Amino acid sequence: MHLSMFSPQLPGETKNKMWNVSEVALQLPTSRASDRLLQPLWDYLVFHHYSLVSSPFFPVMLAFSSYFIFSCPFAILDLLGEQAPAFYSYKIQKERRPTVSMMMRSLGMAVYNHLVYVVPIVLINSAVMPAPQLPAIAPTVWELFSGGLGALLIFDTQYFFWHMAHHKNGHLYKWVHAIHHDYISPFSWSTEHLSAVELMTMGFWSNLDPLLLQCHPLTTWTMTIFSIWLSVEDHIGYDLPWAPSRLVPFGLLGGALAHDLHHQKPSSNFAPFFSHWDRLFGTSNNVVKKTGKSILN
């Protein structure tokens, strides 16, 4: 999950640093003529939802609400099981279904981690660090695509080596990452079934990478939503034919099958999104679906 704490400020605005709220009448930049395709969307967000998108809590709300919204449909499918045969046929481990208790435990852990760890860090960050300015001009479509892809690739690299190290080192695995492997068959809510250390590590990278690439806030927010979808899709336990991992050619994305196999055989498929690092390091395993089970080629 991404915990980006982007807290933008408009040019010429005086505000309370902690709450990112204007202390004088809000002075929005004059709308400029722009042939950029995304400019109307950016103008709408700035002029109609400024108090929301400028809040230091907006990126956290965006990330958590994306996790919640993306997880709900698959939680319902898990509860319906064979009563929804059109979807159940794509279930990877049909012999294992999450219970309501398992779902509530994972969701409760995500809520707890955010209230106890994420919210205080947002408050501290907004109190001690000046917020970057919110630009008046939207990014181009290419800037949004290239910046988002670049941030995803960097995060994928960071997490691959971090993830592999935690599986290779018994102490790191036990104290940091093992909790994520409580379940052999992942399900949507288990996306954020994480220790506080792992959650905060991912949050740090999710903040740092767009800043390093000087991404536009709209790029960062779009990348946040898309990356959370990919993360949830990795954990849903359904090999859907329209999933991004199936639509993107050449097996460039890992997807639900690859990550499901990682939970069954944790010595493989360490990358969160893409497949190139696992291929380069020989930790990639191809997955074939037979009679509802995942097996190695």
Side-chain angles (χ1 to χ4, degrees), residues 10-231:
L10 291 171
E13 181 194 1
T14 302
K15 66 173 190 176
N16 181 297
K17 288 185 178 180
M18 182 169 185
W19 296 105
N20 199 20
V21 176
S22 300
E23 294 177 345
V24 296
L26 181 62
Q27 297 179 352
L28 292 170
T30 304
S31 181
R32 306 177 188 177
S34 174
D35 57 358
R36 299 187 177 214
L37 184 64
L38 298 173
Q39 192 65 44
L41 172 61
W42 184 243
D43 286 344
Y44 174 79
L45 292 173
V46 170
F47 284 94
H48 296 281
H49 299 286
Y50 171 78
S51 61
L52 174 64
V53 300
S54 65
S55 167
F57 290 99
F58 173 69
V60 177
M61 292 187 292
L62 181 67
F64 190 84
S65 61
S66 297
Y67 158 69
F68 187 88
I69 292 169
F70 294 152
S71 296
C72 279
F74 298 103
I76 294 172
L77 289 179
D78 282 331
L79 294 175
L80 290 174
E82 295 179 357
Q83 299 178 54
F87 290 95
Y88 187 72
S89 62
Y90 298 112
K91 180 73 175 172
I92 298 169
Q93 297 187 58
K94 289 186 173 66
E95 70 279 11
R96 293 188 176 98
R97 286 174 54 191
T99 64
V100 173
S101 176
M102 292 162 61
M103 295 180 186
M104 290 299 99
R105 181 176 176 236
S106 292
L107 177 59
M109 185 178 297
V111 172
Y112 176 85
N113 283 339
H114 278 75
L115 292 178
V116 174
Y117 300 105
V118 177
V119 170
I121 286 181
V122 173
L123 290 172
I124 294 171
N125 180 72
S126 59
V128 302
M129 293 181 64
Q133 290 187 342
L134 187 67
I137 301 300
T140 64
V141 173
W142 170 248
E143 288 170 344
L144 187 143
F145 174 78
S146 60
L149 179 60
L152 285 176
L153 286 169
I154 294 174
F155 181 89
D156 191 78
T157 301
Q158 293 163 328
Y159 189 78
F160 171 81
F161 289 105
W162 183 95
H163 193 188
M164 184 167 62
H166 280 69
H167 276 277
K168 300 294 184 182
N169 185 295
H171 293 291
L172 288 175
Y173 181 81
K174 178 181 179 181
W175 295 108
V176 178
H177 186 60
I179 192 171
H180 186 63
H181 284 267
D182 281 351
Y183 306 116
I184 296 176
S185 178
F187 51 93
S188 59
W189 296 119
S190 70
T191 304
E192 295 203 8
H193 191 93
L194 306 169
S195 69
V197 173
E198 182 165 355
L199 179 69
M200 301 314 296
T201 300
M202 290 193 294
F204 174 74
W205 290 333
S206 299
N207 281 279
L208 177 65
D209 299 342
L211 292 176
L212 291 176
L213 297 178
Q214 298 183 330
C215 290
H216 190 283
L218 186 60
T219 301
T220 303
W221 302 336
T222 303
M223 184 270 295
T224 296
I225 295 172
F226 184 65
S227 64
I228 291 175
W229 164 251
L230 290 178
S231 297

